[in-house]
Amino acid sequence: MNKSLKGSINYTAARKNIIWCQCTGMLPLMFLINGFMLNYCKKFGLSDSDVMLSLTVLPNILMVLLILPVANLSDKFGKKKLGNLTNILCPIAYLIILSASYFKENFLLIVSTGLIVYQLGHIFTVSNWFALMEPLIEKGKRGRFLAVLRTSWQVIALIATMLSSWAFSLSDDSNIYRSIIIILAIFCLIRAIFYGRIPEVQTSREKANKFSDACKHLLHNKKYIYFCIFCFLIAFLGSSLATTLNLYQIGALNFSESNVLTISYINMTGATAGFWLGGWISDKYSHDRLFKISTLVITFFLICFTFTRHFPVSYMLSTALIAFLINTWISAMHIGISGEAMHVVDERDKSFGISLSFMQMALGTSVSSILCMKFLEIYQGRTYLLMNLEFNHYEALLAIMAGFMLLISIYGFFAFRQPPNTKVLTT
């Protein structure tokens, strides 16, 4: 670490710029997963499997292939040199996505290209973002800072989703989609201003290991290996959950575009509460305990989602309540994952080690998305009887997800078990 640089840094200003960078940069990303992009794709005639392919499969395959090489280059040549490419690629990506609406015959090809370009830009930041941020945060307050950080951009995304939901309640015209996409491209450009103001504390490149040496070094860290397996399993389940639930709301519950976006900002409200809950549990207890509790709670609410159509209340009410609670605990768990990623990796391979754990998540997402896509293709329209209750293929998939989350919970109980009389170190 450059000591003269460290002494000249205004850490309070740096943390504020981190928050503003995320507030402007995460909004375009959130609109890819909050139901807006799904509605955009469905409006122009894409099937469920095409939506899964465009929104999850292709982008995450790209993440698996590129995140480690980019992270290794970040450790060698500087995080911000590669991170600045995000500020170029992401606005271009949204303009490509916008152009897809004018070429309906090639909509799938063009929108997939735009999403791939966006993912490329995202990789250049996510591969080194936590390594860039980590030296600027006090160790004993990381959980709370991550809660503030995520709450800040989540509130911005919540307000934006509410405004877009209101716009769609007035009209679902294609120009509404186009206007929102242009605004998101502008936010990508604004992000560049705040990103440029974040100092890079760790600029030394000679300390970074070679690709193969970094892998060997990390493989000797047993807790890190357990953590990577956990990341893979969580992503394998959770990555396709949001898309599956959106498709379920449209295909089985017959929700309108406005209803889907309303559930999305209820999801965001739950996520905001979850960030604070996760930060509090991480700092007061440990990431390990957070992982164990959250996986059990999420299992329960996935089972509840499976029975949504059979509850004696309106679909909208039951979906809203369960969505709020499940997103609270999913977000809490992700606070723990972010903190643990920064904690278990040595400084010399920080970008590479964190990115390797994120690659496991991208790999889990890719495998899960392909399986879910095939499941929806093969079992579409099928129904199943259990205790004289009828379940459709979406609910069957949610039941499978609940069972898998229970297995993850059992794994977490053993993998993150602390030896007797061992004090848990939290970030």
Side-chain angles (χ1 to χ4, degrees), residues 9-20 194 197-199:
I9 290 174
N10 183 334
Y11 284 85
T12 301
R15 288 190 287 270
K16 287 181 180 178
N17 283 315
I18 288 172
I19 291 172
W20 280 112
F194 297 105
R197 295 174 181 172
I198 300 173

Side-chain angles (χ1 to χ4, degrees), residues 228-263:
C228 282
I229 295 172
F230 181 78
C231 287
F232 173 84
L233 295 173
I234 287 297
F236 180 81
L237 173 71
S239 59
S240 297
L241 179 59
T243 303
T244 301
L245 289 175
N246 282 335
L247 292 172
Y248 175 55
Q249 291 160 24
I250 295 171
L253 303 182
N254 298 316
F255 283 4
S256 66
E257 293 174 344
S258 179
N259 291 148
V260 172
L261 287 174
T262 299
I263 294 297

